[in-house]
Amino acid sequence: NTPNLACDTGSPVPTESPIPCTGQPLTVNLLTDNYPKETSWALTNTCTSVVEQSKGEGSYSGAETSYVETYCTPKAAYDFTIKDVYGDGICCGYGSGSYSVTYGGEEVASGSLFGSSATTSFGACDSAPTESPTSPPTNSPTTPPTNFPTNPPTEPQPTKSP
């Protein structure tokens, strides 16, 4: 293979920099059983009811194959649901499949024997806004300010110049 050269300078064309994850990294590790097309999963953000990531039935084709998929997800609460359309999970009658999910570097779900489906909840929705101060503001003064003087000054007025 010949390197892709930019402007005949002899330098390879730079590749794009990876975009840093500003949320939480989430990794799904799946080892399929003998019937991988039966397996599907969905990651639902329970704070917004949005399905953030999913793999539908038929997405996996390799029997007893390891799949590792990493996503950048918003910090939130989630339900991870894995399904097997035949209803026998991914272990042990027809192969030795398994799965695990890590969120923010911590394992939050794993298994293999689950029948038709298994759901695991993890994470947290953003906390409520900060509470208002516990003490109310102080009251205004109870005595009104004194009034302006009612009598004119007693000092003599300045004289006019001649």
Side-chain angles (χ1 to χ4, degrees), residues 92-136:
C92 292
Y94 299 98
S96 297
S98 63
Y99 72 94
S100 67
V101 178
T102 57
Y103 176 68
E106 186 176 322
E107 186 175 284
V108 293
S110 64
S112 57
L113 296 168
F114 57 83
S116 295
S117 69
T119 299
T120 304
S121 300
F122 57 91
C125 296
D126 284 341
S127 60
T130 56
E131 295 181 20
S132 59
T134 54
S135 302

Side-chain angles (χ1 to χ4, degrees), residues 48-74:
T48 62
S49 300
V50 171
V51 175
E52 295 285 345
Q53 300 293 335
S54 66
K55 289 287 184 174
E57 183 183 327
S59 295
Y60 299 106
S61 58
E64 297 186 15
T65 301
S66 178
Y67 294 89
V68 178
E69 299 160 307
T70 301
Y71 306 95
C72 184
T73 58

Side-chain angles (χ1 to χ4, degrees), residues 28-95:
V28 177
N29 292 290
L30 175 67
L31 175 61
T32 59
D33 63 3
N34 293 341
Y35 297 93
K37 292 183 179 185
E38 296 176 352
T39 305
S40 63
W41 60 264
L43 178 72
T44 304
N45 181 327
T46 59
C47 304
T48 62
S49 300
V50 171
V51 175
E52 295 285 345
Q53 300 293 335
S54 66
K55 289 287 184 174
E57 183 183 327
S59 295
Y60 299 106
S61 58
E64 297 186 15
T65 301
S66 178
Y67 294 89
V68 178
E69 299 160 307
T70 301
Y71 306 95
C72 184
T73 58
K75 292 179 184 177
Y78 291 99
D79 280 345
F80 177 82
T81 302
I82 187 164
K83 295 181 179 182
D84 181 88
V85 71
Y86 191 72
D88 62 347
I90 53 178
C91 186
C92 292
Y94 299 98

